[in-house]
């Protein structure tokens, strides 16, 4: 039996994010997409947008590339009243409310573009590449392997939160 390659493990991990996001978006109505539990919780639209933005920016950074958000014009297409560099980290109530969508289509398209970029990046990696230092601001410095695990962890958590919100009965 052949052993699993680093790139295969990472491809499977990032692919699971895609499975979660697709399941949340499938059959989701606009009202539920933008609904905020308790009027202050994060909506599915915000959770999945933030998941995509964080993954996009972090993978772009370690890959030495521009984000899909800016390079492919998604910032303009979404048209949110937010700075194009914004990923949602530390958002206020008003900023979360600014993330409103008419349908799931654009969000699904953006997610698929981000996931595609991530998968292309990780497919080229070997075990030695994971030791590359990508952030010296921490002690110990953050390696590429640690950063990729962090990205997957954050995305799966936000995807799970979105799945939970989808299952809640919406109160109008």
């Amino acid at each position: 039996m052949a052993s699993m390659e680093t790139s295969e493990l990472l491809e499977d991990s990032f692919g699971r994010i895609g499975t979660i996001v697709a399941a949340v978006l499938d059959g989701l109505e606009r009202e539920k997409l933008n609904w905020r539990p308790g009027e202050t919780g994060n909506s599915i639209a915000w959770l999945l947008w933030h998941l995509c933005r964080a993954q996009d920016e972090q993978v772009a950074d370690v890959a030495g590339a521009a984000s899909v958000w800016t390079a492919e014009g998604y910032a303009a297409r979404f048209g949110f009243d937010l700075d194009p560099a914004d990923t949602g980290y530390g958002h206020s109530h008003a900023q979360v409310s600014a993330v409103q969508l008419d349908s799931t289509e654009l969000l699904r398209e953006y997610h698929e573009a981000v996931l595609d970029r991530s998968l292309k990046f990780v497919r080229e990696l070997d075990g030695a590449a994971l030791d590359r230092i990508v952030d010296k601001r921490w002690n110990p410095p953050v390696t590429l392997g640690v950063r990729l695990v962090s990205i997957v962890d954050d995305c799966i958590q936000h995807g799970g939160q979105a799945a939970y919100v989808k299952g809640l009965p919406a109160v109008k």
Side-chain angles (χ1 to χ4, degrees):
M1 183 174 183
S3 60
M4 182 179 257
E5 296 293 325
T6 298
S7 59
E8 294 170 320
L9 176 66
L10 291 167
E11 184 177 358
D12 181 74
S13 299
F14 276 89
R16 290 172 189 237
I17 299 165
T19 301
I20 293 167
V21 171
V24 171
L25 292 176
D26 286 348
L28 189 64
E29 296 176 358
R30 181 182 184 274
E31 293 76 25
K32 192 67 175 261
L33 176 65
N34 294 303
W35 175 70
R36 295 183 67 185
E39 298 180 15
T40 60
N42 294 328
S43 67
I44 294 170
W46 185 89
L47 286 163
L48 295 184
W49 169 81
H50 170 62
L51 174 161
C52 293
R53 287 292 297 123
Q55 180 180 348
D56 187 10
E57 289 298 328
Q58 290 183 78
V59 171
D61 181 56
V62 297
S67 69
V68 172
W69 183 251
T70 54
E72 296 185 23
Y74 283 99
R77 291 177 63 196
F78 274 80
F80 296 147
D81 188 20
L82 299 170
D83 184 314
D86 199 335
T87 64
Y89 183 77
H91 262 189
S92 67
H93 176 75
Q95 289 169 310
V96 172
S97 292
V99 177
Q100 294 280 316
L101 298 169
D102 292 330
S103 75
T104 62
E105 292 172 23
L106 184 58
L107 184 57
R108 184 185 306 271
E109 180 185 323
Y110 176 52
H111 175 261
E112 289 172 357
V114 169
L115 182 60
D116 183 58
R117 161 81 72 75
S118 297
L119 291 172
K120 284 179 182 172
F121 177 71
V122 300
R123 283 181 185 130
E124 301 298 319
L125 297 177
D126 61 20
L130 300 181
D131 293 332
R132 177 171 59 98
I133 302 297
V134 296
D135 192 343
K136 294 180 181 178
R137 297 174 295 171
W138 300 91
N139 186 14
V142 177
T143 64
L144 176 59
V146 168
R147 177 60 47 84
L148 292 172
V149 167
S150 177
I151 294 167
V152 169
D153 178 56
D154 285 349
C155 289
I156 288 176
Q157 287 189 55
H158 288 310
Q161 292 165 352
Y164 176 77
V165 172
K166 183 179 181 181
L168 291 173
V171 179
K172 295 181 183 189

